[in-house]
Amino acid sequence: MNNDMPIWKTGLLGKCPHCGEGHLFYGFLTLRKQCEVCGLDYGFADPADGPAFFVMMIGCVPVVVFGLWLEVAFRAPIWVHLVTTLPLLLLTCIPPLRPIKGWLVALQYRSKAEEIRADQRIG
């Protein structure tokens, strides 16, 4: 296991959380089945809606507030929103999805997080 690379860096770069060398993604947001370097099975990984939640709270909410302020303060025509608010919304929504998903998968791996099964007892 490569403990030299911090977990945030491993996740944000989309690298394998075990070896730090293999790729985590196949395509933009699709997780690979396993690491091509160390063979780690990525079946444990299920970030669910976590990346979307963080993107909405960190990026989308401030941009929507900006768009509302722009509308209320200046009664901006639709073309102003298309030139300002829409690109800001796209820039704060799409690019952060992959690094945040990688970070959440790396956190799941390092903390050994998994779904509870019906045959497990709590406590």
Side-chain angles (χ1 to χ4, degrees), residues 10-84:
T10 304
L12 294 179
L13 293 176
K15 298 294 184 179
C16 173
H18 180 72
C19 68
E21 295 178 21
H23 297 95
L24 192 59
F25 295 102
Y26 174 78
F28 183 62
L29 286 176
T30 306
L31 290 174
R32 293 179 179 267
K33 300 277 186 217
Q34 65 183 26
C35 175
E36 73 270 12
V37 175
C38 70
L40 174 68
D41 180 18
Y42 294 145
F44 68 89
D46 183 24
D49 293 334
F53 173 79
F54 284 114
V55 165
M56 284 188 303
M57 293 301 110
I58 295 169
C60 295
V61 170
V63 173
V64 169
V65 169
F66 167 75
L68 290 172
W69 170 79
L70 192 63
E71 180 62 30
V72 170
F74 301 106
R75 296 199 182 266
I78 192 73
W79 70 268
V80 172
H81 288 290
L82 290 174
V83 172
T84 59

Side-chain angles (χ1 to χ4, degrees), residues 90-104:
L90 293 175
L91 285 174
T92 58
C93 289
I94 297 171
L97 277 174
R98 184 177 169 141
I100 291 174
K101 186 171 185 176
W103 175 64
L104 290 175

